[in-house]
């Protein structure tokens, strides 16, 4: 058989144990002709993977921060004791009330600095009640002393209260100057009269007071007549009962009231009585 005859030539082809459609895969298994393995890149060396990993880490850190913050917010805060809170509210409300009538529903708590001095509230300082002012005593005129001038003022004040004219004031003052020298006199005949405030005593029957009016004649009780204001009122009342007294002289008007044993004695006091009346009604 000819070696070139295809029909008689049987060849046994050695088949590789590992099949591969890749031509180079056969060459990799052959001796020094094996092609070197392609270089492998490290897993973390890939740029897309780096970006993905960095993004994941950032997200994780963000979620952790949110969770931490929420945990802090959810942590219950210490509650101020009720008594202290009410006391603080009351103190703040009082402070506001001392400065303005406009109040907030829930005023903010104000903590004073250590160096700030507390401002006193109007309720903290109370003014002492004022003492009643004593009326000023009139300055004596026309040769009178202070006691005489004080009695003259009572006579004039009562006349003004009764709306008596100036001439009536002069008649009353002249009468008291003649009868008692403008002193409130008790009576030696009436020991009771000495139990009341007086500035001397007389002995003309039971006559007492500034106008020497007699209790036995119906002018009033001893206690009443020893009060200068009552005695003056009684004199003006009697003067008003005399018809036409306004047209009379001072002496005649005074005598019509007093019915004295010395009817002309009142005229000597008219000038001084006019000076005193003018001073006390100026």
């Amino acid at each position: 058989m000819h070696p070139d005859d295809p029909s008689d030539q049987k060849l046994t082809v050695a088949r590789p144990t590992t099949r591969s459609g890749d031509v180079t895969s056969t060459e990799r298994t052959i001796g020094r002709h094996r092609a070197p393995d392609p270089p492998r890149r490290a897993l973390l060396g890939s740029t897309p993977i780096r970006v993905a990993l960095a993004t994941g880490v950032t997200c994780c850190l963000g979620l952790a921060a949110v969770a931490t913050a929420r945990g802090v917010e959810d942590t219950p805060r210490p509650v101020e004791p009720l008594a202290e809170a009410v006391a603080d509210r009351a103190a703040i409300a009082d402070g506001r009330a001392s400065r303005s009538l406009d109040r907030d529903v829930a005023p903010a708590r104000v903590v004073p600095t250590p160096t700030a001095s507390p401002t006193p509230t109007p309720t903290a300082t109370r003014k002492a009640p004022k003492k009643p002012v004593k009326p000023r005593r009139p300055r004596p005129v026309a040769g009178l002393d202070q006691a005489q001038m004080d009695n003259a003022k009572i006579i004039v004040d009562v006349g003004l209260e009764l709306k008596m004219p100036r001439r009536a004031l002069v008649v009353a003052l002249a009468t008291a100057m003649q009868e008692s020298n403008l002193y409130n006199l008790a009576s030696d005949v009436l020991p009771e009269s000495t139990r009341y405030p007086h500035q001397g005593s007389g002995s003309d029957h039971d006559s007492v007071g500034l106008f020497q009016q007699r209790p036995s004649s119906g002018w009033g009780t001893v206690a009443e007549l020893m009060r200068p204001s009552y005695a003056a009122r009684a004199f003006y009342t009697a003067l008003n009962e005399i018809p036409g007294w306004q047209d009379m002289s001072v002496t005649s008007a005074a005598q019509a009231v007093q019915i004295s044993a010395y009817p002309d004695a009142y005229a000597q006091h008219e000038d001084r009585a006019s000076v005193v009346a003018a001073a006390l009604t100026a």
Side-chain angles (χ1 to χ4, degrees), residues 9 32 36 70 92 96 101 135 263 279:
Q9 188 178 5
R32 59 186 179 88
R70 182 172 298 176
I92 294 170
R96 289 294 299 275
L101 293 178

Side-chain angles (χ1 to χ4, degrees), residues 99 112-121 124:
R99 294 186 296 273
T113 59
T115 56
S117 58
T119 302
T121 59

